[in-house]
Amino acid sequence: MTIVGAMVIEELRARLGADAVYTDEAVLRAHRRDAWVLSELDDLERALVPLPSCVVKPRNVEQVATVVNLCRQSQTPLVPAGLRSGVCGGVLAPEGSVLLDLSGLSRVRAIDTHDLVGRFDAGVRGSDAEAAVNARGLSLGHFPQSIALSSVGGWVATRAAGQFSTAYGNIEDLVLSLEAVLPDGTSIVTSAGPRASTGPDLRHLLLGSEGTLGVITGVDLQLSRLPEARASAAYYVRDMRAGFDVQREILQTGWKPAVLRQYDAREVTRLFGGYRKDELCLLLMVHEGPRERVEAERGAVERLVLAAGGLVAPAAATEHWLAERNHVPTFTSFLENGVIVDTIEVAAPYGRIGDLYDGAIAALAAIEGIWNGSAHSSHAYRTGLNLYFSFAVQPKQRSELRQAYHRSWAAVMEASLKNGGTIAHHHGIGRVRREWIARELGPGGLATLARIKHALDPSGFMNPGVLLPTTD
Ligand SMILES: Cc1cc2nc3c(=O)[nH]c(=O)nc-3n(C[C@H](O)[C@H](O)[C@H](O)COP(=O)(O)OP(=O)(O)OC[C@H]3O[C@@H](n4cnc5c(N)ncnc54)[C@H](O)[C@@H]3O)c2cc1C
């Protein structure tokens, strides 16, 4: 460890208390990364990986500011981390860095049942936040599959999306106000009203900032009353394009089923074997809200699907999804067997989404050793929808796993960019998408983002290597 590194640790212990600073190798190893499959591969291969010099776990905003100031003054890279469920390498501590573990900021600050606002420390676990508001008859309306693995602050930092987003919106629609410590150590709190017209919206500076522009310490979310009624439905559609047309019709007519998902035939076989019908695709829906609206929406949507040539499928398929929706197999067993798997979420307008789907599936199918290249959609809007691709590749040699991985990513990134899509619907950029961001933002957009970063963090100590295309 460098002299500066040792001094920073000593100073952190003096200011935050020895019990807030960890230097055991086991703790450093456990905290050094998120759930990015390439970092997991490094661990499995017992690669020589860089480690942070310490993990620091502040308990309040003042302590966060102390850590930020010390790191800036000593030019020590600082890596903010929520619960490290990110899947893009947003948390991957460089050698000698300080890993800022925000899970100690875990207070539910207040629940306002009158105005429907929940105020949380940024490190609160998503499922704890939901349980706290449920106890007051309310819900966040935000259900990422990782709700029990991720923090409220992490949701904001990555622009997360929940499974019920079609009705409730994504995290940017739910955040009322943010509190953050900026790289210069100052704190900001954005305005908290239901809406404001006070210049550019500073929430959007932090939404999706992935630890590069500041540390989010508090999050106010708007809440919903728990739904009075819920109904499940499922339908078969001829193929993906037919399903996209049906979803467009549903959304553009003005209906918003809370859950609206569409699986291609490969995923129907893999995930819904008992409900498979020929090579048809499956549409799943959950309607929820006031009873009258649920009944009206269910009936109206069914008429739209049938008019478009769809068929009613057992609603038990949707119940099966509801029961299993947060169970995910780990990457480990695949990697141990020489297979690399990952998921890639993109989005495009309705006019291009069919070509994006066909292009990405064809490009994945052409990769040597591909076992599976498939997709479903899970978030629909009036103008378009997302696609969530899954791939599994077994290259001839284990040493080619990384190459196979990058080829698979390139297949989907290129198909999305070619069809006017975004490279990231909700997992963020991290390290895996860095090299693609310029293609989406364009030279002007990228330069603007780099100027904002430089203005707030001129020395670049906040989460270096993430979001912007620099080298580690
Ligand atoms: C099984 C599984 C399912 C998932 N399902 C979904 C899903 O349905 N929807 C979805 O959107 N995502 C999903 N994800 C991805 C992940 O859970 C989200 O990106 C989540 O928002 C990350 O939160 P976290 O607390 O784990 O953040 P981390 O992984 O710890 O950090 C993510 C990024 O945000 C930064 N960061 C975290 N907290 C702060 C903070 N307080 N201030 C500043 N920067 C911060 C980090 O530096 C990093 O760049 C899933 C992941 C897994 C493993």
Side-chain angles (χ1 to χ4, degrees), residues 158-199:
T158 55
R159 295 185 79 95
Q163 292 155 334
F164 287 53
S165 70
T166 305
Y168 296 98
N170 294 311
I171 197 66
E172 66 274 17
D173 306 307
L174 300 170
V175 169
L176 274 177
S177 175
L178 292 175
E179 174 196 86
V181 175
L182 298 181
D184 69 357
T186 55
S187 287
I188 58 163
V189 182
T190 66
S191 96
R195 187 176 187 272
S197 167
T198 37

Side-chain angles (χ1 to χ4, degrees), residues 15 26 48 71 120 340 430:
R15 299 210 202 164
L48 200 59
C71 286
F120 306 97
I340 193 145

Side-chain angles (χ1 to χ4, degrees), residues 80 82-86 90 102 144-146 151 154 157-158 160-161 210 216 426 463:
L83 295 179
R84 292 175 290 100
S85 69
L102 291 157
Q145 188 183 43
S146 56
S151 67
T158 55
E210 301 190 22
I216 299 155
H426 60 263
N463 214 2

